[in-house]
Amino acid sequence: MSRFKLVVSEALRSMGANISTSFAAATTVLIGMFLLGLLIALGTWVVSWSDHVKDQLQVKVFFVDDVTPKQVNAVGSFLRANTDQIKDYKFVSRTEALARMQKRYPELTRDLPENPLPASYEITPRRAEEVKQLSASIRQHKFAGIERVKDGQQTSKRILQVARVIEVVFLVAVIVLLIASVLLIANTIRLSIFARRREIEVMKLVGATNWFVRGPFMVEGLLCGLAGALAAVVLLLLGKEIALPAILGHIDTSNDVRALGFSVTALILVGVGLVVGAVGSSFTLRRYLKV
């Protein structure tokens, strides 16, 4: 325990002697961890939103006005036989379709002389990526009584493309931030080694072990990473309590669209900060401190 206290005190003394570089390292880690926290929150929220939107994608089969029950049942039999592709489906009569329209747009449907809306099937695929294949399969059968099949192909394609782009950008940004933080801590430890090079030589001459010499620099890197991560957590907490309610008040979203929990994000940031500090210190010690 006394040896551990000595190593920690040496690390704090080194940080105090090089306070400007230590502050710069901790500040950069703070910025990196803060942006990483924002990316985690934004990335997980957007992924959740894209999943929510993809769950809403449907194939709609519209019937002609004079469709017969036999023709409707033929389409229903096809849907029941394709449960591997179809998650759910529902028949919407002309009366129900008009009732929905009157509820959504009462001004437009107030003086209608007759019901202009067709009966339809609303089909939800098991996977959003199968919307196009499902609609093509229905068209190929050429069922009698079907006027048109609408699959929202353009909408689903754009949603899937946006989801993929967001995932790639999220991954690249996180990697760049982590590399930048590691390199900055490594440079800070390198400056500390250079400032204490004479002291290190004396310590080796009096018989200090390699781990005793390297320990303070390792702890210094961990403290820089931890300090930056904790400061980032505090800033994110302030943003969550102050800025987030104002932003969400202007966004219409569903209850199942949410980002990763703040406590989990905070633990991730602290863990990443410690790992960044350890990796930066280890990289510098292996390269520049040959004892």
Side-chain angles (χ1 to χ4, degrees):
M1 182 61 68
S2 60
R3 183 174 297 182
F4 175 75
K5 290 182 179 179
L6 180 59
V7 171
V8 173
S9 64
E10 287 294 319
L12 294 175
R13 185 170 69 86
S14 178
M15 294 177 66
N18 301 278
I19 189 170
S20 59
T21 55
S22 298
F23 178 78
T27 302
T28 305
V29 174
L30 160 65
I31 296 173
M33 294 300 102
F34 179 77
L35 293 178
L36 177 60
L38 289 180
L39 285 172
I40 291 174
L42 178 61
T44 54
W45 186 89
V46 171
V47 170
S48 177
W49 173 81
S50 65
D51 291 339
H52 169 75
V53 174
K54 286 190 289 186
D55 288 340
Q56 306 304 312
L57 292 177
Q58 292 181 328
V59 176
K60 295 186 178 182
V61 179
F62 295 97
F63 295 100
V64 296
D65 293 340
D66 57 349
V67 64
T68 64
K70 182 178 179 180
Q71 293 170 338
V72 173
N73 292 333
V75 178
S77 299
F78 170 79
L79 299 179
R80 285 191 295 272
N82 287 271
T83 55
D84 55 334
Q85 279 187 309
I86 299 173
K87 180 180 179 181
D88 188 22
Y89 64 93
K90 180 182 179 182
F91 177 74
V92 180
S93 65
R94 299 184 63 189
T95 303
E96 184 178 353
L98 180 60
R100 289 182 180 180
M101 185 65 70
Q102 289 174 338
K103 184 177 180 180
R104 292 180 182 179
Y105 309 103
E107 296 180 356
L108 297 178
T109 57
R110 183 175 303 165
D111 300 322
L112 287 177
E114 60 180 8
N115 186 355
L117 300 177
S120 64
Y121 266 116
E122 295 179 345
I123 309 165
T124 303
R126 291 192 177 277
R127 299 177 66 248
E129 291 80 358
E130 297 177 349
V131 168
K132 183 178 178 181
Q133 293 87 333
L134 182 58
S135 61
S137 177
I138 296 174
R139 292 190 184 98
Q140 288 175 357
H141 281 75
K142 297 181 179 179
F143 290 103
I146 292 181
E147 181 180 7
R148 58 192 172 95
V149 179
K150 182 179 179 182
D151 58 12
Q153 179 179 348
Q154 293 297 327
T155 302
S156 62
K157 184 178 179 180
R158 290 176 182 176
I159 291 173
L160 296 174
Q161 287 178 343
V162 169
R164 294 192 193 99
V165 170
I166 289 173
E167 291 173 358
V168 172
V169 171
F170 174 72
L171 179 61
V172 171
V174 168
I175 292 174
V176 170
L177 288 172
L178 292 180
I179 292 175
S181 299
V182 168
L183 292 178
L184 187 67
I185 289 183
N187 189 58
T188 301
I189 302 302
R190 180 184 176 187
L191 292 175
S192 297
I193 293 173
F194 180 79
R196 300 180 60 187
R197 63 191 185 281
R198 298 298 183 187
E199 182 180 345
I200 293 172
E201 293 176 0
V202 173
M203 292 171 65
K204 288 304 297 177
L205 287 175
V206 298
T209 63
N210 292 343
W211 281 110
F212 185 80
V213 175
R214 292 170 175 165
F217 299 108
M218 200 71 183
V219 173
E220 182 179 351
L222 291 174
L223 290 177
C224 287
L226 180 61
L230 291 177
V233 170
V234 172
L235 287 180
L236 288 173
L237 179 61
L238 293 176
K240 175 177 176 292
E241 298 298 331
I242 299 175
L244 189 61
I247 296 174
L248 292 180
H250 296 83
I251 298 178
D252 185 16
T253 185
S254 176
N255 292 330
D256 61 346
V257 178
R258 61 189 65 184
L260 191 65
F262 181 80
S263 58
V264 178
T265 302
L267 290 175
I268 291 175
L269 293 182
V270 172
V272 171
L274 290 173
V275 171
V276 166
V279 172
S281 301
S282 177
F283 175 78
T284 304
L285 294 177
R286 288 179 178 273
R287 185 171 181 181
Y288 294 104
L289 186 58
K290 299 186 181 299
V291 294

